[in-house]
Amino acid sequence: MEEKVLLEKFRQSYRDLELFPLIDWRKVEQFRVDFANHTIARLEQAVEDAPANGKLIFAGHRGCGKSTLLAKFSAQMMEQGYVVTLFSVADMIEMSDINHVNILYAITLTLLNKLQELKINISPDTEKSLREWFTTTQTETVTKDLKTEVGLGGDFFKLITAKLKNEATFREEIKKTYERKVSELAKKADEIAALIQAYTKKEVLVIIDDLDKLDLSLVEEIYKNNINSLFLPKFRIIYTIPIAVIRNNDLLATLQSVTPRVYLMAVCKFFKQGDSHKPDGVPKEELINLFLQILKKRIPEELMEPDTARQIVLKSGGVVRELVRIGRECCSQCLLLIRSEPQRTDIKINDEILQLAIKDLRNDFARPLGDKLYSILVTTYNHLTPPDAKSEEFLSLLHGLSVLEYENDDLWYDVHPIVADLLKRKKLIE
């Protein structure tokens, strides 16, 4: 294969691996692999069986495929007759500055956008009242400036969203305006949801993605101290949280006080408990093949050695994002090799390329680790359970994917395969 063709094929594969999670439905059709259908069925059952104001909490490891699943689930629920609004909180609010107030504000804003998307006819007075509400804050000068910007024309939703995302002063103003009266935010969201439901004769379902990507300190502030505020709106909402939260007893108790259960998207288990550590451990071929399908949708088979593709799958630990990350790093190594050795036409992802990719990823995992964390990792690897599943140190390892949680009849943990390689190199495990 000539250099330019080879370069373009690896470049395209690299780009296709960037398309994760799958949200755009044109890309979903191109790269879709049926995955976690049981989880979708459980979520559908939970929504259908819950009261009209029911709230669901959906947890899982970062990168386990929740966003792609939620996109598929939202389309399915629209077919079931719901008006669904799915949005990423990361697209609307600066991730380091998220709080319960601007989450509720973002919900209200996206519902207003849905109202406009559906071209729902509302009275001029109602439309004026809604715009007045969004452009009125506690500070007179801020209110005046907002009204001036809106009066200049343009897309109202994009204008307010851009301010919420990019302007810390605007987020602070929203927080000061509604921090002590979050019920007003909830009532406004209810008002807009009621307009949608009256016009469409369908119930509203809001799905908020990417809350699971927050730092754990922010998650505690939002979910432990302000969960009741998030549950004020009187329509169905699905919130996402990182899996580490439901391993914190205090936070879990808070969640269980307002919702009957937390729904979990489990990591794929390639091996039975403990078998991954055995030289003769036999993986579940149906799951291996599922992950191979995901990989081959993005990297043409002629660019990968079959045995290496299988190793990429096993090194992912059953986490889709890790599969994508390893595959992308392999493509990057091949692109570098093509540029440095342009005369070669036989370059493909083989064991040598995989080892170069793993080296860089292994170092990424190693940087934040210290003696105490290494000790926790060794104990977890040897016993498939940590010394203290509630400790902040362990929860940080779980949040950062150094440790993965699996669930059969029993709950158990294992070290990420790349981190296990790191422990072996340090001679901390055999």
Side-chain angles (χ1 to χ4, degrees), residues 131-132 135-136 142-152:
R131 286 179 175 258
E132 283 283 330
T135 54
T136 301
V142 175
T143 298
K144 184 178 178 181
D145 290 343
L146 266 176
K147 292 184 185 301
T148 300
E149 286 186 67
V150 170
L152 294 174

Side-chain angles (χ1 to χ4, degrees), residues 24 31 43 47 76 145 151 156-158 188 191 247 253 259 263 269 288 295 300-301 317 335 337 345 350 378 422 430:
D24 184 310
F31 298 110
L43 283 177
V47 170
Q76 193 164 306
D145 290 343
F156 181 83
F157 174 74
K158 286 183 179 178
K188 189 56 62 175
E191 179 187 331
R247 299 300 163 237
T259 187
Y263 292 86
K269 300 170 288 293
I288 297 292
L295 192 63
E301 290 190 59
L335 286 167
L337 192 57
T345 58
N350 55 24
V378 169
L422 176 64
E430 294 184 2

Side-chain angles (χ1 to χ4, degrees), residues 97-299:
D97 199 21
I98 290 177
N99 55 60
H100 66 291
V101 174
N102 52 37
I103 290 172
L104 286 171
Y105 189 87
I107 291 172
T108 311
L109 187 57
T110 53
L111 285 174
L112 178 66
N113 188 52
K114 178 62 72 173
L115 187 77
Q116 294 170 337
E117 282 181 358
L118 294 169
K119 295 181 168 50
I120 295 176
N121 290 321
I122 56 177
S123 70
D125 286 346
T126 301
E127 183 175 0
K128 181 181 177 183
S129 172
L130 287 172
R131 286 179 175 258
E132 283 283 330
W133 184 85
F134 275 101
T135 54
T136 301
T137 68
Q138 69 168 12
T139 305
E140 188 175 337
T141 54
V142 175
T143 298
K144 184 178 178 181
D145 290 343
L146 266 176
K147 292 184 185 301
T148 300
E149 286 186 67
V150 170
L152 294 174
D155 188 308
F156 181 83
F157 174 74
K158 286 183 179 178
L159 188 151
I160 301 295
T161 300
K163 295 183 77 65
L164 188 63
K165 172 72 175 175
N166 301 317
E167 297 183 18
T169 53
F170 181 74
R171 292 192 297 270
E172 185 61 26
E173 185 69 15
I174 295 300
K175 183 179 179 183
K176 287 179 180 177
T177 302
Y178 295 107
E179 191 169 26
R180 297 186 181 279
K181 45 182 181 179
V182 288
S183 59
E184 283 191 21
L185 271 173
K187 284 178 181 177
K188 189 56 62 175
D190 289 339
E191 179 187 331
I192 300 172
L195 288 169
I196 293 171
Q197 291 178 170
Y199 177 81
T200 62
K201 310 301 181 189
K202 298 176 180 180
E203 293 187 32
V204 167
L205 170 64
V206 174
I207 304 173
I208 309 170
D209 193 18
D210 287 334
L211 284 167
D212 56 303
K213 296 180 175 67
L214 295 173
D215 288 341
L216 290 180
S217 58
L218 280 175
V219 172
E220 180 164 349
E221 171 63 23
I222 291 167
Y223 282 107
K224 184 178 179 183
N225 301 333
N226 295 288
I227 189 68
N228 289 325
S229 297
L230 295 179
F231 275 49
L232 282 174
K234 294 175 180 166
F235 48 84
R236 289 178 169 89
I237 303 176
I238 297 178
Y239 292 103
T240 50
I241 59 171
I243 198 168
V245 168
I246 60 173
R247 299 300 163 237
N248 179 312
N249 282 352
D250 291 339
L251 278 170
L252 182 59
T254 300
L255 294 175
Q256 289 175 334
S257 70
V258 291
T259 187
R261 68 174 300 163
V262 175
Y263 292 86
L264 178 68
M265 184 169 181
V267 171
C268 278
K269 300 170 288 293
F270 294 145
F271 294 91
K272 292 180 181 178
Q273 186 173 345
D275 278 6
S276 62
H277 299 178
K278 300 175 182 176
D280 58 350
V282 179
K284 298 175 183 176
E285 287 302 319
E286 68 275 15
L287 292 180
I288 297 292
N289 289 331
L290 178 70
F291 270 56
L292 282 171
Q293 283 183 56
I294 296 171
L295 192 63
K296 290 173 182 177
K297 285 270 186 175
R298 293 164 169 82
I299 305 177

Side-chain angles (χ1 to χ4, degrees), residues 357-368 418 422 425:
I358 292 295
K359 179 192 73 172
D360 288 345
L361 297 174
R362 187 171 61 233
N363 290 337
D364 288 343
F365 276 112
R367 286 187 181 94
I418 294 177
L422 176 64
R425 291 175 66 84

